Amino acid sequence: SQQGEEDPQALSIQEGENATMNCSYKTSINNLQWYRQNSGRGLVHLILIRSNEREKHSGRLRVTLDTSKKSSSLLITASRAADTASYFCATDGLMDSSYKLIFGSGTRLLVRP
Amino acid sequence: SAVISQKPSRDICQRGTSLTIQCQVDSQVTMMFWYRQQPGQSLTLIATANQGSEATYESGFVIDKFPISRPNLTFSTLTVSNMSPEDSSIYLCSVGVLAGRPSGEQFFGPGTRLTVL
C-alpha cells in the first residue's frame, strides 16, 4: 500500500500565484523527496529533505517537514505555466536500509497562463 | 546527477508476448530499482535489481512475470512476460547512492510507456 497521501489531488491556479501541496506518511522516515512528472514522462528530482531538517529551499521551491505530524509541504512560488505537472512525494523508511521509495498519490497542478 | 536512458521509450504489444526494457546509466551506481506506474496512478516498486544476484521483489510481483537482470553496475533489464492489457503502464528505472550525492537520493529514467492490446 502507498505510504503517502497527498492533497489536494488536483490544483488549478493562475500564473504568478503560489501553489502549496501537502504530503502525509505513516511510518518513521530517513528522507522525504519531491518529484515532478510532466505528462506521464520520467520523474524529475526536485528536492530531498532529511528527517532532521525542517525546511529546505531550492530556487522557487520551499519544502517543509514536520516529523511529529508525519507531513511535508511543497510550496512553489510565483508559478509559471511550465510548472504544470504532477508532483509526488516519496519516502524511504527509517527501519529499512534498502533505499526503496514509497510514493504518495500525487497532486496534479495546472497553472493557467 | 546520473544520466539514465531507457529503451524502448514506448511500445505497443500483443497479449501473450514479452517485452524487455533496458536501463542504462552513464556512471556506476550501487542501487537500481524498477517501478510501475499504472494509468492515472502513482508509482509502485516492482523490485530492486541486485548486481550479480537475483532481484528482490516486492509483494505482488514475481520473478516469472517480471524477470530482471543486472549484469553490471551501469545496466539492468526488466522483462514483462506473457503480457495482458492489465500490464499497460509506464515502467521506470531509478538509481540511487551516487558518489557525491546525498544518501537516499534517487533519479529516474524517462520511462517506457507500454500498451498491451
Side-chain angles (χ1 to χ4, degrees):
Chain A
S1 63
Q2 289 177 348
Q3 163 95 305
E5 296 298 325
E6 294 181 57
D7 76 272
Q9 289 187 336
L11 179 62
S12 179
I13 59 173
Q14 201 72 33
E15 201 166 29
E17 295 180 339
N18 295 341
T20 299
M21 288 158 268
N22 302 296
C23 166
S24 62
Y25 55 91
K26 296 177 182 176
T27 61
S28 298
I29 61 171
N30 283 314
N31 309 300
L32 186 144
Q33 303 180 63
W34 284 92
Y35 292 88
R36 183 185 75 228
Q37 184 179 41
N38 293 84
S39 300
R41 300 175 67 181
L43 272 68
V44 174
H45 187 273
L46 296 177
I47 199 165
L48 178 150
I49 186 166
R50 301 200 179 285
S51 59
N52 61 354
E53 296 176 313
R54 293 295 166 259
E55 188 171 311
K56 208 162 182 180
H57 297 255
S58 177
R60 293 184 296 113
L61 306 180
R62 172 178 170 252
V63 169
T64 62
L65 179 65
D66 187 335
T67 53
S68 66
K69 295 181 179 178
K70 291 186 170 59
S71 67
S72 174
S73 67
L74 170 67
L75 168 67
I76 304 174
T77 60
S79 64
R80 306 166 181 169
D83 294 328
T84 294
S86 292
Y87 292 81
F88 295 93
C89 67
T91 56
D92 61 329
L94 180 64
M95 302 307 293
D96 187 347
S97 60
S98 68
Y99 295 101
K100 59 186 181 185
L101 297 179
I102 299 176
F103 280 79
S105 50
T107 294
R108 296 188 311 278
L109 173 65
L110 172 64
V111 181
R112 304 186 305 274
Chain B
S1 63
V3 176
I4 307 163
S5 60
Q6 282 186 236
K7 290 182 183 179
S9 58
R10 59 177 60 223
D11 207 342
I12 300 173
C13 301
Q14 297 297 319
R15 69 170 66 210
T17 63
S18 298
L19 176 72
T20 295
I21 302 167
Q22 299 179 4
C23 178
Q24 179 75 55
V25 191
D26 69 342
S27 58
Q28 293 186 341
V29 295
T30 306
M31 310 294 291
M32 293 183 80
F33 304 90
W34 287 97
Y35 290 82
R36 180 177 73 182
Q37 185 179 28
Q38 294 176 301
Q41 302 297 312
S42 185
L43 280 77
T44 301
L45 179 65
I46 297 172
T48 302
N50 300 309
Q51 193 263 329
S53 64
E54 193 171 287
T56 304
Y57 289 85
E58 297 301 305
S59 176
F61 297 96
V62 295
I63 188 171
D64 289 347
K65 176 66 175 178
F66 297 101
I68 288 171
S69 77
R70 189 172 173 199
N72 55 52
L73 294 177
T74 63
F75 185 78
S76 178
T77 66
L78 168 74
T79 298
V80 185
S81 303
N82 189 25
M83 289 184 286
S84 67
E86 292 71 34
D87 293 320
S88 298
S89 298
I90 299 173
Y91 292 86
L92 301 104
C93 70
S94 74
V95 302
V97 193
L98 279 65
R101 302 296 306 183
S103 176
E105 262 190 347
Q106 279 190 35
F107 298 93
F108 283 77
T112 296
R113 184 183 291 271
L114 170 62
T115 302
V116 183
L117 303 178

